[in-house]
Amino acid sequence: MRSSTGLAVLTGAVLLLAGCSDSDGSSGGLTVSGAYIPQPVSADMAAGFMTISNSGSSKAELTSVTSDDGEVTMHETNGGAMEEVSGLSVPAHGQLVFKSGANHLMFDKLKQAPKQGQTVTVELHFAQSDPVVVKMPVKSATYVPKTGH
């Protein structure tokens, strides 16, 4: 009886730890790092940046991003013009980088303006993989990450 109780507690602890995550998320061969949102100057719009890495042997297609905090769309910047896109590829054994002046997330119709120190949670949806939940910390408006995105 005693050993089965200990095993149940240990199993519960392992499952609890497996569900824990910091600002980064993962699913299958997909991992997210460096996620953040600069504190926006507008009350209802913001941008988001991160790197999605794919250790799998086939490309992954990011089809949408959702958040309970507002609408989220994916954009790319070409020749200085921002354009909404319906999907972005994460190459096999490669990365999809969201950075200022290039691919990025746009948050619109925010329920409240994100403030530095808060976190905005998003869910990344892929064509052939499980969704990835990412907690994006809100940084100062002038924050520049060490990775350059």
Side-chain angles (χ1 to χ4, degrees):
M1 177 77 158
R2 187 179 212 189
S3 64
S4 65
T5 301
L7 180 60
V9 169
L10 179 62
T11 301
V14 167
L15 290 173
L16 180 62
L17 288 173
C20 292
S21 158
D22 54 15
S23 65
D24 301 334
S26 67
S27 174
L30 299 169
T31 58
V32 177
S33 61
Y36 75 98
I37 296 173
Q39 183 172 314
V41 294
S42 168
D44 65 347
M45 288 187 77
F49 309 104
M50 70 183 83
T51 298
I52 304 172
S53 299
N54 180 2
S55 64
S57 58
S58 60
K59 78 175 183 176
E61 185 73 19
L62 178 64
T63 57
S64 67
V65 181
T66 57
S67 175
D68 289 340
D69 293 312
E71 294 178 14
V72 186
T73 52
M74 298 176 289
H75 289 81
E76 55 186 17
T77 304
N78 292 314
M82 181 175 71
E83 181 180 315
E84 184 175 339
V85 295
S86 60
L88 292 167
S89 292
V90 187
H93 305 291
Q95 294 182 327
L96 171 61
V97 178
F98 289 83
K99 64 182 182 178
S100 183
N103 296 326
H104 60 280
L105 299 179
M106 287 299 303
F107 294 82
D108 193 20
K109 300 177 185 171
L110 292 167
K111 294 178 182 173
Q112 64 181 9
K115 303 265 189 258
Q116 185 175 342
Q118 294 178 329
T119 304
V120 174
T121 302
V122 298
E123 188 169 88
L124 308 178
H125 301 272
F126 296 90
Q128 300 294 322
S129 301
D130 291 335
V132 176
V133 175
V134 181
K135 294 180 186 288
M136 302 181 76
V138 180
K139 303 288 188 175
S140 74
T142 58
Y143 174 74
V144 177
K146 292 179 180 98
T147 59
H149 72 271

